[in-house]
């Protein structure tokens, strides 16, 4: 298991911005695959963005153009910068030290204990 910790979730108005942060004690993000996921009211896990160990970045269509993932290896941090938020972005956001696709809720995707506990983002209209 990896002690991943997310932070930065908050309640914002539609059109607002938030930055989520992710870190892990005793685990080096540099060169590792990292992913951001979310679980909204439908309780199905959704892949949001990933950054591979060699720096390839992916965004889901739902967030492309609004969200940006960055990595600071000196601080061992990964960030998800979220702009122009809308109510559909309301979810618990998870950071994970893996890139994975699956079905079901995020707890089911977390098969190797590489995910954080999540941080709540609430966007009101």
């Amino acid at each position: 298991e990896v002690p991943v910790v997310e932070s930065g979730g908050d309640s914002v108005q539609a059109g607002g911005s938030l930055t989520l942060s992710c870190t892990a004690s005793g685990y080096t993000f540099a060169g590792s695959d990292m992913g951001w996921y979310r679980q909204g009211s439908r309780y199905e896990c959704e892949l949001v963005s990933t950054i591979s160990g060699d720096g390839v970045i992916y965004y889901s269509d739902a967030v492309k153009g609004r969200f940006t993932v960055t990595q600071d290896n000196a601080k061992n941090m990964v960030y998800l910068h979220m702009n122009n938020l809308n109510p559909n972005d309301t979810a618990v956001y998870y950071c994970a030290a893996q890139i994975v696709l699956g079905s079901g809720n995020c707890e089911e995707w977390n098969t190797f204990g590489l995910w954080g506990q999540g941080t709540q983002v609430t966007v009101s209209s």
Side-chain angles (χ1 to χ4, degrees):
E1 294 192 358
V2 175
V4 175
V5 178
E6 310 93 338
S7 62
D10 205 344
S11 297
V12 297
Q13 295 282 330
S17 299
L18 281 176
T19 294
L20 306 182
S21 302
C22 174
T23 189
S25 175
Y27 185 87
T28 300
F29 287 167
S32 300
D33 293 338
M34 300 297 301
W36 284 99
Y37 306 80
R38 66 186 182 185
Q39 181 166 301
S41 59
R42 290 169 53 191
Y43 298 106
E44 292 184 0
C45 202
E46 178 185 0
L47 175 64
V48 175
S49 177
T50 62
I51 181 166
S52 70
D54 55 2
V56 177
I57 293 175
Y58 165 85
Y59 299 102
S60 70
D61 288 342
V63 307
K64 194 175 297 182
R66 301 187 298 120
F67 290 14
T68 303
V69 62
T70 61
Q71 186 167 338
D72 185 337
N73 292 333
K75 296 182 179 180
N76 203 41
M77 298 285 291
V78 175
Y79 304 96
L80 185 67
H81 309 276
M82 307 184 295
N83 297 316
N84 195 21
L85 287 160
N86 63 63
N88 290 329
D89 296 316
T90 295
V92 177
Y93 284 72
Y94 297 90
C95 176
Q98 67 173 145
I99 296 174
V100 64
L101 283 175
S103 60
N105 61 44
C106 287
E107 184 176 349
E108 294 176 87
W109 289 30
N110 181 18
T111 55
F112 299 109
L114 301 176
W115 293 44
Q117 294 300 306
T119 186
Q120 177 71 47
V121 172
T122 302
V123 185
S124 57
S125 57

